[in-house]
Amino acid sequence: MGIFSIILIAIIEAMDCFAVSISTGLCKSNIPYSRAMLQSVSFGVFQGGMTLLGYFLGVFTERWFSAIGTPIACGILCILGLRMIWGATHESDDDGEKSCNLSIPNILLLSVATSIDAFAVGVSFAFMQVNLWLAVIAIAIASFVMGVVGFEIGRHSAKHFKTKIPEIIAGVILIGVGVKLFF
């Protein structure tokens, strides 16, 4: 597999991170940069790590992943999305602190959910001629960069709204990413 193919796969793998980061930025425009960076670093580490894990577990996990992994990732993203929508429509506080926080558990859940497809890519790498370390590093870097860029796009977009609409949109985006995993 050539370098162009690896870069293309890395960008495709990072698109879920991009979408989730946009929703995080939309949800609350004043999230500290340290939390947004932690989310992006977590995305990069999990995407790269899951690619490696998939590669090393290879054929053994392919059946398990296709049967169990995708519904788990979909469920996590849909639950978090529904929680955002519920919080936006039912909370009385104006800053949305309860429904859209970047706590460590939320960051880890989002990282796991967005990296399950990287696991499948790692499994496929086990059956191809690919420079594994280049692919893992490219996927990790692309995921980090897309996380940062997505958050900034969402944060800047949210500043133009004075309602809970961005938080509802963020929830819909997470649900959309979760449902996309099935197709």
Side-chain angles (χ1 to χ4, degrees):
M1 179 179 294
I3 192 158
F4 179 76
S5 297
I6 290 173
I7 291 170
L8 188 60
I9 288 171
I11 292 169
I12 291 167
E13 283 302 305
M15 293 309 284
D16 288 348
C17 299
F18 181 70
V20 169
S21 294
I22 287 175
S23 71
T24 302
L26 275 172
C27 189
K28 188 171 167 215
S29 63
N30 62 349
I31 289 174
Y33 281 111
S34 61
R35 286 296 172 152
M37 282 297 169
L38 181 61
Q39 175 180 276
S40 297
V41 167
S42 182
F43 283 165
V45 168
F46 272 79
Q47 289 278 0
M50 290 294 267
T51 303
L52 264 177
L53 183 63
Y55 178 83
F56 289 123
L57 294 179
V59 177
F60 174 72
T61 58
E62 186 175 19
R63 288 186 201 139
W64 176 85
F65 170 75
S66 60
I68 307 260
T70 301
I72 289 172
C74 177
I76 289 170
L77 290 172
C78 288
I79 288 169
L80 290 172
L82 288 171
R83 212 170 96 196
M84 279 185 189
I85 293 169
W86 176 265
T89 58
H90 289 88
E91 285 182 1
S92 60
D93 63 340
D94 290 323
D95 64 357
E97 187 68 37
K98 291 179 191 168
S99 64
C100 184
N101 65 26
L102 278 183
S103 65
I104 300 297
N106 280 352
I107 290 172
L108 292 175
L109 276 174
L110 290 171
S111 297
V112 167
T114 57
S115 66
I116 294 209
D117 58 337
F119 181 80
V121 168
V123 169
S124 70
F125 284 169
F127 305 105
M128 293 192 244
Q129 291 285 59
V130 63
N131 182 335
L132 179 64
W133 295 108
L134 177 63
V136 167
I137 291 169
I139 289 170
I141 290 172
S143 298
F144 169 77
V145 169
M146 294 291 245
V148 171
V149 171
F151 178 78
E152 283 300 310
I153 289 171
R155 185 176 70 82
H156 287 294
S157 298
K159 289 181 179 180
H160 300 300
F161 295 97
K162 300 296 180 205
T163 66
K164 295 284 190 170
I165 291 173
E167 198 170 333
I168 293 168
I169 292 170
V172 170
I173 289 171
L174 284 181
I175 292 168
V177 171
V179 170
K180 179 205 83 128
L181 290 175
F182 277 123
F183 302 104

